[in-house]
Structures are given as structure tokens and as C-alpha cells.
Amino acid sequence: MSATMDVKIEDGKLALTEHEGVDGWDASTPMTAVGQPATRLEGIEKVTGSARYSYDVRLPGQLYAAVLRSPHPHARITRIDTSRAEALPGVHAVISSANTPQIPWFEDSFVFDTTVRYVGDEVAAVAAVSDDVAADALGLIEVEYERLPHVTELEAAIRPDAPKLRDSGNIAGEPTVYDRGDAVAAMAGADVVIDAVFTTQAAIHNSLEPHGCTVAWEGDELTVWASTQSVFTIREDVASGLGIPEHKVRVIKHHMGGGFGAKQVAWKNDIIAPLLAKRAGRPVQLMLDRHAENLASGNRPPTRQHVRFGARSDGTLVAIWADIHIGNGAYQVGGEASNVSGMYQSLYRCDDVHTESRTVLMNTGPAVAFRAPGHVESAWVIEQVMDELARRLDLDPVEIRRRNYSPIDQVEDKPYSLPDGLAYCYDRVTADFGWANPAPPAVAGSKRRGRGFAAHDWAAGSGHPPAYAFAKLNPDGGIDLVTGTQDIGTGTRTGLAQLAAEELGIGVDQVRVQLGDTASGPYSPVSSGSSTMASIGPAVRGAVADVRQQLLRLAAVKMEVAAERLTIVDGRISVIGTTDQSMTIAEVMEDVAPANLLGRGARGPNPSDVSIRTFGAQCVEVEVDTETGEVTVLRVSTAHDIGRIINPALVDSQIHGGITQGIGFALTEERVVDHRLGMVMNANLEEYKIPTMLDVPPISHAHVDVPDSVANITGAKGVGEPPLIPTAPAIANAIFDAVGIRVHDAPISRQRMLTLLAEHGQSAAPEVAR
Amino acid sequence: MSATMDVKIEDGKLALTEHEGVDGWDASTPMTAVGQPATRLEGIEKVTGSARYSYDVRLPGQLYAAVLRSPHPHARITRIDTSRAEALPGVHAVISSANTPQIPWFEDSFVFDTTVRYVGDEVAAVAAVSDDVAADALGLIEVEYERLPHVTELEAAIRPDAPKLRDSGNIAGEPTVYDRGDAVAAMAGADVVIDAVFTTQAAIHNSLEPHGCTVAWEGDELTVWASTQSVFTIREDVASGLGIPEHKVRVIKHHMGGGFGAKQVAWKNDIIAPLLAKRAGRPVQLMLDRHAENLASGNRPPTRQHVRFGARSDGTLVAIWADIHIGNGAYQVGGEASNVSGMYQSLYRCDDVHTESRTVLMNTGPAVAFRAPGHVESAWVIEQVMDELARRLDLDPVEIRRRNYSPIDQVEDKPYSLPDGLAYCYDRVTADFGWANPAPPAVAGSKRRGRGFAAHDWAAGSGHPPAYAFAKLNPDGGIDLVTGTQDIGTGTRTGLAQLAAEELGIGVDQVRVQLGDTASGPYSPVSSGSSTMASIGPAVRGAVADVRQQLLRLAAVKMEVAAERLTIVDGRISVIGTTDQSMTIAEVMEDVAPANLLGRGARGPNPSDVSIRTFGAQCVEVEVDTETGEVTVLRVSTAHDIGRIINPALVDSQIHGGITQGIGFALTEERVVDHRLGMVMNANLEEYKIPTMLDVPPISHAHVDVPDSVANITGAKGVGEPPLIPTAPAIANAIFDAVGIRVHDAPISRQRMLTLLAEHGQSAAPEVAR
């Protein structure tokens, strides 16, 4: 059996194939469940408040933890006395560097280190009967610090005389250098060269649900209810941190209020909570409040990108050169790197490319992947430079991109699985937006209107194999899926249910999806890189196909017809092309009740001869108020080659969320640091401005929906990150279209816009210090 | 792959085989993990109080439920007004027959019926913010009853003029009649006939943890944390009761404080709690207190057994005849029937057997399977009659049994899988006890000593196939087992870990066992009939064997040697017979990390040509105080053919528990009903006397430990029920040996003993009314 998952040894490695006996769905396959805008399975639970999050775990004797954080950006702890805190009634455990083993964390530092390197760094932790008692106890911990010089600004941190975070200096590791051809030599042959410096700001994820976990020891087994994008990563990191085997740690994630990349790794709280629980002999909950969340659980790193793009007069690129600095904060967290260089190398056809990238340490909270890490930062630059080149050469911004089209992955020297993917996006988005139509009047009073265009690529769709799934068909014809993946708020449960329903020929409501539990779920990778569906989707389809094959073999005997002649529609098994004979799944199952039919599926490795990527392009129209500096996004059209659209409602939800986050990145979101004090001034949701409903314009999603049958047997790639990538540069390009000002530094705050308008003599407003 | 589980269609049915590629372990297989007295995996959690039971579930907004129960043994509800209860602050839901649909339960009745049939029958239920408020609310519910005539005594219930519980009378259904040969005719040829009436009492399970559950709806999905012996049965029954598909119900059982048969079915509380939670829009916990537990969640039914045994003068049986009445209480619960007739038909060789059995309805709490249901009741009779025959014929009690030995299952006309199983028990237990040694002095003052013997059979070992298991090998060499079985307190987790450790060649501590969850666990049957290990054990072994095969194939490539030449010892893979080349599992796994190797196993159907049974024999020595009527059990030896002993410590734990419960059944345990009022007088742990530590004598377990390789690939059968079965008749036989009094009615309370002693002129004590 198990034609859908075979374990082979190839080149000495375990090779899984999910394809055998399962034909890939292509564009011509008729679909009933897949492609429908099915309502989220957990929708009712979420809107009625009955959905349970890690925070909702309550266990007998449960304690509540609070963490003492460094008030200094850089200091050595010379004395720490927790005795008064320990004596406070209701306090069950206090831990710090004074009484815990040195557990390595973030390269050369420890969970509780004696050097603190940013305001918010963990110093001590308390578990008490309530949040209030825990907070009181923190105030009783006496810490003496020896302050050290600090640096919290990217440009300052790379100066030779900057205060050092490490003996080796503030550049972490070696520069990442990439060369294809000879960019410097080729640049000399360019008709036009753009040479410019751009910067992007530190942005904060601000998931609705903060980081945190509830933990409980039972004997030597630990259960961690974590808000995480990767239950298996947390299991590995917690086991490793605590020095226990992985099977002694069970990580559960039921529902989750977003991660955006910041929850793909274990953080110190995932270790601190079990340490407190062990010491207290009680379960412990450690959830970060918004202030701690925004200081100490990741941010998009600020960047400085010095670039040179050379082109011929026909617009074709002859050389790309980029020198990149990434302000990584005090520690390197791990997880997905901020690959700022990548899109310089891949988005446009160019034989001569040089990128070099440096990771810079500074006394701020550690950076971590943030939705489309690196790509949002580089798109800001690349797509403005392409726009600038088009302006200089009097080309249409879309036309210049078409002239630099690459149907192959130039870095890996392989064709794309869907070579026309980006071209589809150009076609669909320009048609949807009406890019060819005459622009509406650009000026009205103090308001100026403009239109901008930007494109992107992204590595989603390749997934992170392997991934596995089990399917259990119940006697009544319903199905339970068991996976080790997680739904991080994107609708994975529903999408998987649709895949299962499609494969078996039943309704979406006939499927239950179990996920987010390392104890029972077979391995599934991190939900990052928009890869969840491409990773686990094929495994789920394979597991259900396995069940389907068993079911049809049973039905064939009962119906006295060859299994190959049978089909399942709406839970009823019948002979293809006839109507005279049929049975429900439950009727076929009667002989095997009360048992399950069990299926097993695997997501095997990617095909080695193609590169699997997603693409997208976006058009925006903006209005700039030259009096107030306010930029209003009037409308957005977007198109993305994300492979098959499993659920258009869920995809549109990602599109809307991504573009909204892109608008925030473009216009308002910025972590503000007082560099003298080294303190974040807006680690909250009042002064850190994320877009609200009123800031979101009409968004039109021009579906591409071309199944990428080469990528995997579902044809779906991934959509989580793509929509965000081109939004900010598209807005910047539209601003240029409106007022002729190229904004190099993100975000385009009113203050910055006003300053630039004044510099360009376009603003009547009083000059404002930048 | 998956040589360990193959799905075939045979005779139109799904056939699973777990054997392919896996040789059965036999007595000559060297064992390292299996057979060791491994400490319970959850031992520390249980003794430190950190083990979480259904009662320990706490959810945000959780409510606490209480149930209003009938104060009358038989009545019609004419009015019910819950408005005052509903108005009480803190009350969130009140349900009764007045506001809930009629959900069928227990044949012809409903969850909330308008006729109540015993004191304790469910009338209404409340969910409130605390137990106290819920209890107060119960007091505010106004119910008017029209009382009906009642009967609570077995003998009274079968009289023609007895008050009727059903229109059809108090005999439920048709009598169960079994005939082999012609017992009546054969009886005429007997040299000696014993004709007697025996009775057994109603006994109450008294698991340490009462029945109950915590339930929560999330949208249309229900989670039930239930104290149950069968998560899949609860799922099926709750889904059916609520009219929703099975995949919408998730049943979880983590730890459990015993069931003893009473938790193998869903009870009304499993439906009442979800109804309350739905109405309240909040999670609800409904745990029974001891009083409700002992009234309304099952009991061992009282029996009346009129028997005739005929034997030749050499002791060989010529005829067995039994007329059995079983006092089933007000409802037939379902689940395992009380098969009182069975052992009459099977334990001894006899060609002419007649049994007839009637289930009697009466106005008491419903009976349900109680550890070795039927067998405890029939052993009380059969084994006393065999003893009596031996006395009459001047034969040794063991010798008369040997003369009636049957190596075949006479009912199914098949050989036993281990035909000498019972003979091994006779040999081992008599040697261990010193049965052949001269008895010590039988008289000392008012004390009389005696020795008794009894034997039994039981259907354990055949299991309840199918059952399935998954195994996940982690990158660090540890393994996670995923099953849908449950550990009802017997140590299943540990036994399964030992099987997995043995199969893979790792330590028991390297295994984590996930069970008790219908959402993630593949189907496993009810844990009843001592069948858990025989059901799930082979599936677990098969799943791990599947993983082992994959691992060795990987290792073979790395080590450049054929997989067949490799072995795994203590987590290290090496070439059989050499020491020069080896790798740890983690080293082999490096290439596939961070993924699992996944195995799948199944417990297929039993071989059709044999009968799989367990057997046992017990010797006891007692002391009867003729002044006080006190019977003291001085020592017990016991031997059981339970197949391979996977863990002698866990087996001994079952042996000790079973014999302790047998002593309780023999001497002290009895549900006392005031038949006039129809009320149970001792529904508590003060007046219902279960044995304490001080009542338990030295118990010697003479291990048989012969693997039953025919039964399944582990060689293990089951031990949960067997030890209890012969204890009470062995004690009764020892009492006869001591004082020459045959006690027909269980339990042998001091009062009963004193009365009998007085009747036989042996007691100096004042006469006591019986």
C-alpha cells in the first residue's frame, strides 16, 4: 500500500516521494473544494472569543511570571540580590545569573548574562501567584550595574571609534559577498548610472498576540504551550537549552494571534518559564506585555544600502552593485536571515552583479525575520532605482522591467518552475489598475496625485521539506488530519481541510485538522517564508490519497467493480459515468467500523532542476498634501504568481494584511530610539503607528491563479509575504510621480515629507527640523 | 516500505497484518527492555501530584456543574420549575427534561427522562461559577413527583407480582440459554450431585477518581477531557448523542485514577456537560462526587445462581447445570456484558452443560462491567462447588481440577493458543504456596486456620483488534509513540515504552508515549477485558519495527554494509558480531534531521484456528476467629498464564490490586440498600468498606511468564482482571477448610460469619439477626 509515500535511499539519504499514484492537479482538473472561498474553520471560535491561545492555558497551581529587564543599553551587572523579592509572600521562584546555570543563548551570551547589551535585555525573572505580585517582586530585586559605552544608531555603529559590543568589533562575522560577472567593469559601459544611498527603518512586528508560553513539568516531561510559528523548532531549542532529549518536551500551539517571523525561533522566555516552573514546582505562564514585546522579541533591522545600477539607453541593465549594512541589534537570533542582497541578484536579468552585506551589532533589541525579511528592505531600493532609471530614460516603469525580464533563476542557473510567473503579474496588475489609461488630474489645490509601480520575487513555494501528515477516515465518513504544522493565523487549517476534501470527494466541513502538537504530529517545518502550504499541503494530499485508495479498494469489492472505475463525489462512491449504483463512505466503512482507515503522506524534496519562486507586481495611486506632508494611498492593485489559489478568501486576507503592513512600513512605522539614552521611545501601540482601518485604501487583487504543477502536487505556492514587498517602493514611486521628490529614507513620515517638500520648494509649510 | 503493516482486502473486508517482516518474539529471544521492572514513566508525576487528570483542566470562563438526582426509586415527574435556580446570581445554565431535546439513552429512556427509576437518576443539571453556587441552585429547582411502586431486591424483582420497571416486565430481553450435550440427562449418571443456590452482592467500583469530564466548545467543535477507559467510545457516543459527526468531537484522557470497567462507556454526564456548555457559552466541568459516583455510575450486579454439578466418583464431571439471575438495576448500560455463564461452559472439561441466564431490572443504579465481570460472580460458585465435590469424593482440590482439565476451548471447539496455560498455573502456584506440605496447626484458641484453592480462565489476550500506532524517531535518537489507546492507571505507557525500546534497541527512557486523544491518535479500542496490551502492543511493536527498518537501511548506506548485518544495542548501530564499526542513532539520523522517521503499525485480526485465553490459580490461607466472626487472610499465592510478562513490577501491581479487590469482594464490600425506601445506605467510602493496607496479606506471585507466541507478536496477553477472579472462592474454600462451613452468600461479613458459626454451633458469640 502507501503508494503515496515511499521511503527510498538515494545518494545515501532518505528520500521521500509523495507523487506515486497521485497525479498532480493541473489547471484542467475540475475542482469542487479547492478554489472555493471556504469560511475559516476556526472563524466562529475566533470572533466569539472561545478560541484558546497559549495565554488561555490555566493549570492547577499555575504561577505568573515577570521578567526584570535592563534599564541600560550596555552595562555589566556587578551585584544582584534577589532575597527581598524571594521573601515577598506569593513569590515562588526568582532566578537570575546568580542562581541559574549559564545556558548559552544567542551565540556567545547566556540566558541570564552578566553583561546586558540593550534596554530590555533579560536580567532576572520571578514566578508568583499573580501578575501583580510578580511585578511587585521585580521592584524588590537589587541590581548594581557598571555602565558601558553604547551605540544604537546604524551609521554610528560602523564607525571605527564606535563603542564595541564584542571584542571583534560591531561587524558580526564576515561580509556576505556575491559576484556574478564583474559589476565594476561592466558599470563603465553603462549609458546611465544611478548611484545612491537609501535607508530603511527598524520596524516592530506588533503581532496582536505577544510572545509567551505556559509551561508545566510532569515528572521529567515538559509541556510548553507556546505562541510560535514552529512547534518543532521550539521543541529542539528548549530541549537543547535545558539539556534534555527532544521527546521529553512537548510543544503545543492551538490558536495564535500572528507571528510575522518573530515567532519562528525560541526566545529566552521559552527557557526562563521552564526554569521558573522547575524551581517553583508549579506550572508557570510567561506572556510578554506590549512594552517587553516591542523591546525584546525582535524587529525588522534598519538598513543602509549604497547602490549603483547601470543601464543602457534602451533600459537594459548592465551592472548592479550594492553595499549593504544591516543593523542587527545586540544579538544574532538565528532563524531566517535578512537576505537583503537576494533580490538584487535575481529580480532582473543582469550578467554583472556584485553585492556585499554586513551585519552590524548595536545596543538595541535583536532583529529577527519580519514578513519578507530582506526583500521589503531591498525592494525599497531596487524598485525606486528601476523607477528612476525609467524616468531618466523616458521609459514606462513597467516597460523597463519587461526589458529586463529573466525567466531563469540567475543565481542557481535554473529555469523557474513557472517561467512566465512575473510576466503574468505585469499583465494582470496593469490591466486591473488601468495602467495604460490616462492618469487622472494630478493636481488639486495643495493635493498632488501620482501613480507608482513595483515588482518583487520571493522564494515561497519551494517549501521546507520534508513534512508529513496522517489522515484518519472515521466510520461516519468524516476525516481527521494529523499534522505537526501550525496555523499562525493565516488559515492553514482551512486550506488543508479543502485539500483533504478535494482529494477524498467530501465536504470541507467533514474534515477536522489537528495541528500544533509535537507529541502527536509528525514532523512539519517552521511556518515561515510563506512556505506552510507548499510544505504540508502535498503531504496532506498524499495522506488522504492513501486513504482514498484503501476506501476505493473496499468499495470495489462491495460494489463488484474495479476500483479504477470508481469515483467519490460529495461523500458518495459511484461508478464513473453511471448513476445506477452508489454507496456512501459510511456504508463502505461499515465493515471496518469502528476502526479508522489510516493514510500517511509525505512532502518529498523539491525537483532539483527548477527554481520555485513566487512573483508579484503592484500599482498604487497616492495623494500628497503639500501643505501637511500627508501621503494618502488612494488605491492599490496587486497581482501575484502564488501558484494555485486554494482559498481566494484566505489569499485575499493575506493580500490585504500584507499591503496594510506595507503601507505602515512606507508611511508611519518606525522604532524611535533616543540614541543618547539608548532607549526605545515608542515601545507601545500608541506612539508606534500601525495603520488602522481608516488608513487602508481599496485593494484590488488581480488573481493570477495559475497552478504551478511543477512545484508540488497541489500546485499551490505561498502568499503570506509577497503582497507586502512592493508596497512601500510603489508608494515612493507614486510620490515621485506626484511631486517629483525621490524619498531615499523610509518611512515617509509627514515630517520627512514636509522637510523634503520644503527642500524642493514645494511646501508652504514652516520648515521643520528633520 | 511499511512491511510491518499491510492493508489487504480479504473476504471483502479490510485485513491488516502486523507480522510481515517482524518475527514474533519467543521464549528464546534475548530481551533487554522487555521483562524488566521499569519504573512507571508517570510515576514521579503521580506521587508528586503534578499528573493532570480531567478534573485538573481549567479553562477561561470555566463553569462547574452539579446534577439534581431523583430522591425516589421510582416516580413520574409531573412538574419541574427551574426558574428560581436560573435567577440565582452565578448560575449560567439550567437544563432538564423541560428545556432539552429528548436524547435517547439506555435503550428506551432519555438523558432527562420524565420517569425516574432509581434513587440517583438524573433529573436536572446546573452550570454555575462555582461548585457552591451550583449546589445552591439545585436546591432552588422545584420538582413534583408522582411516586410509583418500586423494587430493589433481586429475589423480589423476579416475583410475578413485583412492581414493574417496564411494561414487558422485569426480565430484560430473552434468557441467554446455552446447551452442550444434555446436562439434565447426563446428570442422572452422576455418582455425586451438588445442588445449591449461591448469591453474590452488588459491589461498587470505587475508582479513586470519580466519573466526570470537562468540556469546551470551540465553534462547532467539542473537546471532552474525560475520565474514560475508551476515548473512541466516548467520541462515538457523545457525537451520536449530540447528533454531530465524530470528527467534531475530540476526546482527551491524560491521566486517570482507575475505571475497573465502569468507565468503558459514556454516561449521561458526558452528554449533560456539553449541553450545559452549549447553553452557557462557556466551558463546563462536571465531576461526580463520591455519593453520586456510587449511586449512578455503575456497580457489579448482584446475582443468584442455582447450580447442579454432577461428577463420577473419580471426580470427573458428567454434567453442569446453572440457572442464573443477574440484578442489572434500572437500565442496561451496554458495554461489556456480565457473562456469568461463560466459565461454567469453559473452565472444566464437560460434555454436557446447560446454562441459562436472565437479566433482571430493579430500581437501583445501573450495573456495568466491573473487573472480570461475570467471572468473579461465577467463580464464587464454580470454585466452591469444585471444592465441595473434592471434599465429598475425598480428593485433593487441585487433583480434582487436573482430572477435569481441558486443553481446548469447548465452546468454540478450538485448541487454546497455549494449551498448557492452566496446568502451568496449577504447578507454579501449588509449588509456591507449598500446597503439598503438611498444613500448619489449624486451631489456636478461638482461631481456626484453613487453606483454599481456586482457578479461573479469562478471555484476555485476544485483544479487541484492530488497533494502530505511529512511531516518530527524533533526530536525537529518542522516539515518540502516538496511539489512540489510554492508560487507565495500569502502566500501559510504560509497557508500550518497553516494547518500543526493545524493538529499536534503545533505553525505555528514550521513549515518550502519547495516548488518550482521539484527534491525533489512530484508532485503538476500549481498555477493558485486560486487553489493552494485547490490542495495542503489537501495533506499537510494528510501528517501531517499521522505523527500525528505515533506520537500518540508512545506516547500511553510511556504514557500507548490508542492512541485514546490522543490529542496534543501547542506541548504537553496529555490525553483528563485530566491534570495530558503529554509529549512534543520532549520527545516522544527521542526514535526515530535523525530520522524523515515521513508522506505522497495526494489530491485525486474531488467528482464527485457536482460542486465546488467560488462566490462573490461587491458594490462600485464612484464619477465622470463631468469637468475632473475623476472617483474616494470612497469605496468598497466585499464578497466571498471562503470556509474556513485559514488566514484572507492573504485573505484580495488578496482581496485588486484583487480589486486594478480591478480598474486599469476599469479606467486606457490599452495596447496602434499604429496600423499603429504595435507597442506598452506604454510597460513600466510610460505610462501604474497601480493604485498606492493613487488610492486605503477603501476596506471592509465582510468575508463569511463558510467551504466548501464537497470540500476537509480543507474546503478551493481559493481567488486569485475572488475579481478582479466584480470590473470593479461594477464601471461602479456606474458611470451609478452617471451620467446615460452606458460605453460599457473598460477602462473608463478620455478621454473616457469626450467624453461620452460630448455626453450626461453633460460635460462643451471642446470636445475631442475619
Side-chain angles (χ1 to χ4, degrees), chain A residues 48-83:
Chain A
T48 59
S50 67
R52 293 190 299 272
Y53 295 77
S54 300
Y55 171 79
D56 294 320
V57 176
R58 292 288 178 278
L59 299 167
Q62 181 172 310
L63 303 175
Y64 299 83
V67 176
L68 184 69
R69 298 177 181 279
S70 169
H72 304 301
H74 203 188
R76 210 168 284 126
I77 296 171
T78 55
R79 191 179 75 89
I80 184 158
D81 182 351
T82 59
S83 55

Side-chain angles (χ1 to χ4, degrees), chain A residues 235 247 472 474 509 518 521, chain B residues 235 247 472 474 509 518 521:
Chain A
R235 183 174 82 156
H247 66 283
K472 308 187 294 165
N474 294 325
D509 196 50
T518 59
Chain B
R235 182 174 84 155
H247 67 282
K472 308 187 293 166
N474 293 325
D509 196 49
T518 59

Side-chain angles (χ1 to χ4, degrees), chain A residues 261-340:
Chain A
K263 292 178 181 169
Q264 65 181 285
V265 293
W267 290 84
K268 287 183 179 175
N269 40 286
D270 297 312
I271 295 293
I272 290 173
L275 290 175
L276 284 170
K278 193 74 157 181
R279 179 168 283 257
R282 297 241 219 150
V284 167
Q285 183 169 90
L286 200 178
M287 296 300 294
L288 270 54
D289 62 16
R290 184 61 55 184
H291 186 246
E293 172 75 11
N294 285 8
L295 285 182
S297 62
N299 54 75
R300 188 188 294 278
T303 70
R304 180 188 190 278
Q305 301 174 56
H306 177 200
V307 298
R308 289 194 201 102
F309 278 54
R312 292 198 195 88
S313 56
D314 66 355
T316 53
L317 292 164
V318 295
I320 296 173
W321 179 97
D323 180 29
I324 299 159
H325 287 85
I326 304 170
N328 205 66
Y331 303 104
Q332 295 194 81
V333 170
E336 199 173 318
S338 283
N339 180 12
V340 179

